[in-house]
Short mmCIF file of all heavy atoms in Angstrom, two decimals:
data_model
loop_
_atom_site.label_atom_id
_atom_site.label_comp_id
_atom_site.label_asym_id
_atom_site.label_seq_id
_atom_site.Cartn_x
_atom_site.Cartn_y
_atom_site.Cartn_z
N ALA F 1 91.64 192.15 125.47
CA ALA F 1 91.15 193.46 125.42
C ALA F 1 92.16 194.40 126.09
O ALA F 1 92.85 194.07 127.09
CB ALA F 1 89.79 193.62 126.14
N PRO F 2 92.33 195.64 125.53
CA PRO F 2 93.25 196.51 126.07
C PRO F 2 92.88 197.05 127.48
O PRO F 2 91.71 197.07 127.79
CB PRO F 2 93.37 197.69 125.04
CG PRO F 2 92.01 197.65 124.50
CD PRO F 2 91.64 196.28 124.44
N SER F 3 93.90 197.45 128.29
CA SER F 3 93.61 197.96 129.68
C SER F 3 94.58 199.10 129.86
O SER F 3 95.80 198.96 129.80
CB SER F 3 93.78 196.93 130.63
OG SER F 3 93.52 197.38 131.94
N ALA F 4 94.05 200.25 130.18
CA ALA F 4 94.92 201.44 130.45
C ALA F 4 95.88 201.12 131.69
O ALA F 4 95.39 200.63 132.77
CB ALA F 4 94.05 202.67 130.84
N HIS F 5 97.14 201.40 131.46
CA HIS F 5 98.14 201.04 132.41
C HIS F 5 98.27 199.64 132.88
O HIS F 5 98.68 199.32 133.94
CB HIS F 5 98.07 201.91 133.66
CG HIS F 5 98.37 203.34 133.47
ND1 HIS F 5 98.78 204.17 134.46
CD2 HIS F 5 98.38 204.15 132.31
CE1 HIS F 5 98.96 205.43 134.02
NE2 HIS F 5 98.68 205.43 132.67
N ALA F 6 97.60 198.70 132.05
CA ALA F 6 97.52 197.33 132.36
C ALA F 6 96.90 197.07 133.78
O ALA F 6 97.30 196.15 134.43
CB ALA F 6 98.89 196.64 132.24
N LEU F 7 95.92 197.94 134.07
CA LEU F 7 95.35 197.88 135.38
C LEU F 7 94.36 196.60 135.48
O LEU F 7 94.22 196.08 136.53
CB LEU F 7 94.49 199.18 135.65
CG LEU F 7 93.93 199.37 136.95
CD1 LEU F 7 94.95 199.38 138.06
CD2 LEU F 7 93.03 200.67 137.03
N HIS F 8 93.67 196.27 134.38
CA HIS F 8 92.78 195.13 134.35
C HIS F 8 91.76 195.20 135.47
O HIS F 8 91.61 194.27 136.27
CB HIS F 8 93.50 193.78 134.38
CG HIS F 8 94.59 193.68 133.34
ND1 HIS F 8 94.26 193.60 132.00
CD2 HIS F 8 95.95 193.62 133.34
CE1 HIS F 8 95.35 193.48 131.22
NE2 HIS F 8 96.35 193.47 132.09
N PRO F 9 90.87 196.20 135.53
CA PRO F 9 89.93 196.32 136.63
C PRO F 9 88.59 195.47 136.33
O PRO F 9 87.81 195.39 137.19
CB PRO F 9 89.55 197.84 136.57
CG PRO F 9 89.67 198.18 135.11
CD PRO F 9 90.82 197.37 134.54
N LEU F 10 88.45 194.91 135.15
CA LEU F 10 87.23 194.19 134.83
C LEU F 10 87.20 192.81 135.55
O LEU F 10 88.19 192.19 135.71
CB LEU F 10 87.09 193.95 133.37
CG LEU F 10 87.04 195.30 132.50
CD1 LEU F 10 86.75 194.98 131.06
CD2 LEU F 10 85.94 196.18 133.04
N ARG F 11 85.96 192.41 135.91
CA ARG F 11 85.70 191.10 136.49
C ARG F 11 84.56 190.51 135.68
O ARG F 11 83.58 191.26 135.21
CB ARG F 11 85.32 191.22 137.93
CG ARG F 11 86.28 191.94 138.81
CD ARG F 11 87.58 191.24 139.01
NE ARG F 11 88.50 191.95 139.84
CZ ARG F 11 89.48 192.76 139.43
NH1 ARG F 11 89.62 192.98 138.15
NH2 ARG F 11 90.29 193.41 140.22
N PHE F 12 84.54 189.27 135.38
CA PHE F 12 83.61 188.62 134.51
C PHE F 12 82.88 187.48 135.32
O PHE F 12 83.55 186.64 135.94
CB PHE F 12 84.31 188.03 133.26
CG PHE F 12 84.77 189.12 132.41
CD1 PHE F 12 85.97 189.74 132.66
CD2 PHE F 12 84.02 189.45 131.21
CE1 PHE F 12 86.46 190.71 131.84
CE2 PHE F 12 84.48 190.51 130.48
CZ PHE F 12 85.73 191.17 130.70
N PHE F 13 81.57 187.41 135.12
CA PHE F 13 80.78 186.42 135.77
C PHE F 13 79.78 185.86 134.76
O PHE F 13 79.10 186.62 134.02
CB PHE F 13 79.95 187.03 136.99
CG PHE F 13 80.85 187.56 138.02
CD1 PHE F 13 81.27 188.92 138.01
CD2 PHE F 13 81.20 186.69 139.08
CE1 PHE F 13 82.15 189.33 139.02
CE2 PHE F 13 82.05 187.20 140.15
CZ PHE F 13 82.54 188.52 140.10
N ALA F 14 79.76 184.54 134.66
CA ALA F 14 78.85 183.91 133.72
C ALA F 14 77.74 183.31 134.51
O ALA F 14 77.93 182.42 135.40
CB ALA F 14 79.61 182.74 132.94
N SER F 15 76.54 183.84 134.17
CA SER F 15 75.29 183.28 134.85
C SER F 15 74.71 182.26 133.90
O SER F 15 74.32 182.59 132.82
CB SER F 15 74.29 184.40 135.09
OG SER F 15 74.90 185.38 135.97
N THR F 16 74.72 181.06 134.23
CA THR F 16 74.39 179.92 133.36
C THR F 16 73.00 179.38 133.73
O THR F 16 72.63 179.36 134.91
CB THR F 16 75.37 178.79 133.40
OG1 THR F 16 75.43 178.28 134.72
CG2 THR F 16 76.82 179.27 132.93
N GLY F 17 72.22 178.96 132.67
CA GLY F 17 70.94 178.37 132.84
C GLY F 17 70.78 177.13 131.97
O GLY F 17 70.52 176.01 132.45
N ARG F 18 71.06 177.37 130.72
CA ARG F 18 70.92 176.32 129.78
C ARG F 18 72.32 176.14 129.07
O ARG F 18 72.51 176.48 127.95
CB ARG F 18 69.87 176.61 128.78
CG ARG F 18 68.50 176.55 129.28
CD ARG F 18 67.39 176.62 128.21
NE ARG F 18 67.66 177.55 127.04
CZ ARG F 18 67.38 178.84 127.17
NH1 ARG F 18 66.95 179.45 128.19
NH2 ARG F 18 67.68 179.62 126.08
N VAL F 19 73.24 175.57 129.84
CA VAL F 19 74.60 175.34 129.31
C VAL F 19 74.96 173.89 129.59
O VAL F 19 74.94 173.39 130.77
CB VAL F 19 75.63 176.28 130.04
CG1 VAL F 19 77.02 175.93 129.53
CG2 VAL F 19 75.26 177.66 129.69
N ASP F 20 75.18 173.08 128.56
CA ASP F 20 75.63 171.68 128.70
C ASP F 20 76.96 171.59 129.28
O ASP F 20 77.89 172.28 128.82
CB ASP F 20 75.64 171.02 127.28
CG ASP F 20 74.19 170.60 126.91
OD1 ASP F 20 73.31 170.45 127.66
OD2 ASP F 20 74.13 170.40 125.61
N GLY F 21 77.07 170.67 130.30
CA GLY F 21 78.38 170.49 130.91
C GLY F 21 78.72 171.23 132.19
O GLY F 21 79.78 171.14 132.77
N ILE F 22 77.70 172.08 132.58
CA ILE F 22 77.90 172.83 133.85
C ILE F 22 76.51 173.08 134.48
O ILE F 22 75.52 173.30 133.79
CB ILE F 22 78.65 174.19 133.57
CG1 ILE F 22 79.15 174.80 134.76
CG2 ILE F 22 77.75 175.15 132.77
CD1 ILE F 22 80.26 175.93 134.54
N ALA F 23 76.45 173.10 135.81
CA ALA F 23 75.21 173.29 136.49
C ALA F 23 74.84 174.69 136.46
O ALA F 23 75.63 175.68 136.40
CB ALA F 23 75.32 172.80 137.94
N PRO F 24 73.52 175.04 136.47
CA PRO F 24 73.09 176.44 136.53
C PRO F 24 73.72 177.11 137.79
O PRO F 24 73.83 176.48 138.89
CB PRO F 24 71.54 176.32 136.71
CG PRO F 24 71.21 175.02 136.11
CD PRO F 24 72.38 174.13 136.41
N GLY F 25 74.12 178.36 137.57
CA GLY F 25 74.75 179.08 138.66
C GLY F 25 75.42 180.28 138.04
O GLY F 25 75.30 180.59 136.94
N VAL F 26 76.27 180.91 138.94
CA VAL F 26 77.12 182.07 138.56
C VAL F 26 78.52 181.64 138.72
O VAL F 26 78.91 181.13 139.84
CB VAL F 26 76.74 183.39 139.36
CG1 VAL F 26 77.63 184.47 138.91
CG2 VAL F 26 75.34 183.70 139.20
N TYR F 27 79.38 181.86 137.68
CA TYR F 27 80.76 181.44 137.78
C TYR F 27 81.69 182.60 137.48
O TYR F 27 81.46 183.34 136.54
CB TYR F 27 81.02 180.38 136.71
CG TYR F 27 80.26 179.05 136.96
CD1 TYR F 27 78.94 178.89 136.49
CD2 TYR F 27 80.84 178.06 137.65
CE1 TYR F 27 78.16 177.80 136.78
CE2 TYR F 27 80.17 176.87 137.84
CZ TYR F 27 78.74 176.76 137.39
OH TYR F 27 78.11 175.59 137.76
N ALA F 28 82.70 182.80 138.34
CA ALA F 28 83.70 183.80 138.15
C ALA F 28 84.77 183.32 137.23
O ALA F 28 85.21 182.08 137.40
CB ALA F 28 84.30 184.19 139.54
N PHE F 29 85.11 184.20 136.32
CA PHE F 29 86.16 183.85 135.36
C PHE F 29 87.44 184.27 135.75
O PHE F 29 87.64 185.52 136.14
CB PHE F 29 85.75 184.48 133.91
CG PHE F 29 86.81 184.24 132.87
CD1 PHE F 29 87.19 182.99 132.51
CD2 PHE F 29 87.44 185.37 132.27
CE1 PHE F 29 88.20 182.83 131.46
CE2 PHE F 29 88.41 185.12 131.33
CZ PHE F 29 88.78 183.94 130.89
N ALA F 30 88.48 183.46 135.78
CA ALA F 30 89.82 183.82 136.08
C ALA F 30 90.71 183.83 134.79
O ALA F 30 90.99 182.76 134.21
CB ALA F 30 90.43 182.79 137.08
N PRO F 31 90.92 185.02 134.27
CA PRO F 31 91.56 185.15 132.96
C PRO F 31 92.92 184.43 132.79
O PRO F 31 93.23 183.82 131.86
CB PRO F 31 91.66 186.61 132.73
CG PRO F 31 90.78 187.28 133.68
CD PRO F 31 90.60 186.36 134.86
N ASP F 32 93.67 184.56 133.96
CA ASP F 32 95.06 183.96 133.79
C ASP F 32 95.02 182.44 133.88
O ASP F 32 95.75 181.80 133.22
CB ASP F 32 95.88 184.46 134.96
CG ASP F 32 96.20 185.98 134.83
OD1 ASP F 32 96.30 186.49 133.72
OD2 ASP F 32 96.29 186.62 135.86
N ALA F 33 94.05 181.99 134.61
CA ALA F 33 93.93 180.43 134.81
C ALA F 33 93.11 179.86 133.65
O ALA F 33 93.05 178.68 133.43
CB ALA F 33 93.37 180.15 136.07
N LYS F 34 92.34 180.72 132.94
CA LYS F 34 91.44 180.36 131.95
C LYS F 34 90.37 179.31 132.37
O LYS F 34 89.98 178.38 131.74
CB LYS F 34 92.19 179.68 130.75
CG LYS F 34 93.19 180.60 130.04
CD LYS F 34 93.87 179.93 128.93
CE LYS F 34 94.97 180.88 128.31
NZ LYS F 34 95.89 180.23 127.39
N ASP F 35 89.89 179.58 133.60
CA ASP F 35 88.83 178.68 134.17
C ASP F 35 87.73 179.54 134.85
O ASP F 35 87.88 180.71 134.96
CB ASP F 35 89.44 177.66 135.05
CG ASP F 35 89.92 178.22 136.39
OD1 ASP F 35 90.02 179.44 136.56
OD2 ASP F 35 90.36 177.43 137.28
N MET F 36 86.72 178.79 135.23
CA MET F 36 85.60 179.41 135.93
C MET F 36 85.48 178.68 137.29
O MET F 36 85.58 177.49 137.39
CB MET F 36 84.28 179.24 135.17
CG MET F 36 84.32 179.90 133.75
SD MET F 36 82.80 179.79 132.87
CE MET F 36 82.20 178.11 133.05
N ARG F 37 85.16 179.47 138.30
CA ARG F 37 84.95 178.89 139.64
C ARG F 37 83.52 179.34 140.09
O ARG F 37 83.04 180.40 139.81
CB ARG F 37 85.96 179.16 140.67
CG ARG F 37 86.04 180.69 141.01
CD ARG F 37 86.98 181.01 142.13
NE ARG F 37 87.13 182.41 142.28
CZ ARG F 37 86.16 183.24 142.72
NH1 ARG F 37 85.07 182.79 143.15
NH2 ARG F 37 86.42 184.54 142.86
N LEU F 38 82.81 178.32 140.71
CA LEU F 38 81.45 178.58 141.21
C LEU F 38 81.43 179.75 142.21
O LEU F 38 82.18 179.76 143.12
CB LEU F 38 80.90 177.33 141.83
CG LEU F 38 79.37 177.43 142.24
CD1 LEU F 38 78.53 177.63 140.95
CD2 LEU F 38 79.01 176.08 142.93
N HIS F 39 80.55 180.71 141.93
CA HIS F 39 80.36 181.94 142.70
C HIS F 39 79.04 181.87 143.45
O HIS F 39 78.99 182.18 144.61
CB HIS F 39 80.57 183.16 141.84
CG HIS F 39 80.38 184.43 142.47
ND1 HIS F 39 81.30 184.85 143.42
CD2 HIS F 39 79.43 185.42 142.39
CE1 HIS F 39 80.83 186.14 143.90
NE2 HIS F 39 79.77 186.43 143.25
N ILE F 40 77.99 181.42 142.72
CA ILE F 40 76.63 181.31 143.25
C ILE F 40 76.10 180.04 142.74
O ILE F 40 76.18 179.78 141.53
CB ILE F 40 75.73 182.46 142.88
CG1 ILE F 40 76.33 183.76 143.45
CG2 ILE F 40 74.25 182.24 143.39
CD1 ILE F 40 75.56 184.99 142.91
N ASP F 41 75.57 179.12 143.60
CA ASP F 41 75.13 177.81 143.16
C ASP F 41 73.64 177.68 142.75
O ASP F 41 72.98 176.73 142.96
CB ASP F 41 75.49 176.72 144.14
CG ASP F 41 74.70 176.83 145.44
OD1 ASP F 41 73.91 177.92 145.59
OD2 ASP F 41 74.76 176.09 146.32
N ARG F 42 73.08 178.77 142.10
CA ARG F 42 71.69 178.73 141.66
C ARG F 42 71.63 179.64 140.34
O ARG F 42 72.42 180.49 140.22
CB ARG F 42 70.74 179.09 142.71
CG ARG F 42 70.84 180.49 143.19
CD ARG F 42 69.84 180.79 144.24
NE ARG F 42 69.94 182.10 144.93
CZ ARG F 42 70.55 183.19 144.73
NH1 ARG F 42 71.29 183.32 143.68
NH2 ARG F 42 70.56 184.26 145.42
N ASP F 43 70.59 179.32 139.60
CA ASP F 43 70.24 180.08 138.46
C ASP F 43 69.77 181.49 138.83
O ASP F 43 68.71 181.56 139.54
CB ASP F 43 69.21 179.39 137.55
CG ASP F 43 69.03 179.92 136.23
OD1 ASP F 43 69.48 181.11 135.94
OD2 ASP F 43 68.33 179.28 135.47
#
């Protein structure tokens, strides 16, 4: 997605509940690493 001045101010969090392969919780997305890290360990 485009970003004015390549500032990239957006942050993404996936709140999971019914997702196979990952526990319910909130995961922060790291675009450069292409991974998710646990942010909150509950649905």
Side-chain angles (χ1 to χ4, degrees):
S3 182
H5 289 204
L7 188 61
H8 305 294
L10 300 184
R11 306 292 180 263
F12 292 78
F13 297 89
S15 299
T16 62
R18 290 188 324 275
V19 176
D20 280 340
I22 196 165
V26 179
Y27 295 84
F29 174 62
D32 295 329
K34 299 180 183 171
D35 70 353
M36 300 185 311
R37 65 175 171 71
L38 186 63
H39 179 67
I40 299 172
D41 66 354
R42 65 182 171 13
D43 187 348

